[in-house]
């Protein structure tokens, strides 16, 4: 499973939550691919994935959170998605 966090430089909410979200995702799914994307560097990629408001999270190419989730919300969404795939 691939999880992408879309953020912008200077986003204090993103910086504060980044490690907690990554840890929550890693506990929910084995073999996780985690990627942090600076939208200023990859604007077209962000738009293509619907990440128009920041911070946003995309899972396997699908916009799942258009605002920053809590670690618990992210863990629950990934666990649910993982169960559906199996």
């Amino acid at each position: 499973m691939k999880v992408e966090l879309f953020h912008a430089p200077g986003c204090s909410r993103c910086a504060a939550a980044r490690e907690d979200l990554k840890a929550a995702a890693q506990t929910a799914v084995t073999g996780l691919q985690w990627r942090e994307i600076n939208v200023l560097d990859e604007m077209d990629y962000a738009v293509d994935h619907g990440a128009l408001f920041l911070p946003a999270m995309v899972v396997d190419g699908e916009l799942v959170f258009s605002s920053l989730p809590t670690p618990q919300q992210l863990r629950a969404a990934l666990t649910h998605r993982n169960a559906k795939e199996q």
Side-chain angles (χ1 to χ4, degrees):
M1 185 175 297
K2 183 177 182 179
V3 176
E4 298 172 299
L5 172 64
F6 290 81
H7 66 90
C11 174
S12 59
R13 289 181 45 214
C14 300
R18 192 173 293 154
E19 290 306 314
D20 289 339
L21 290 171
K22 184 176 182 180
Q26 290 173 328
T27 62
V29 179
T30 57
L32 177 80
Q33 295 177 7
W34 178 268
R35 184 168 179 233
E36 296 175 11
I37 300 166
N38 177 340
V39 295
L40 298 181
D41 294 336
E42 299 187 51
M43 182 66 72
D44 290 339
Y45 186 77
V47 170
D48 288 346
H49 287 79
L52 304 177
F53 299 98
L54 301 177
M57 297 197 78
V58 169
V59 178
D60 292 336
E62 178 185 341
L63 181 66
V64 176
F65 293 102
S66 59
S67 63
L68 196 64
T70 66
Q72 295 80 9
Q73 290 170 323
L74 178 59
R75 188 179 305 110
L78 296 179
T79 300
H80 178 73
R81 186 180 196 93
N82 195 38
K84 285 175 39 178
E85 291 177 356
Q86 294 184 10

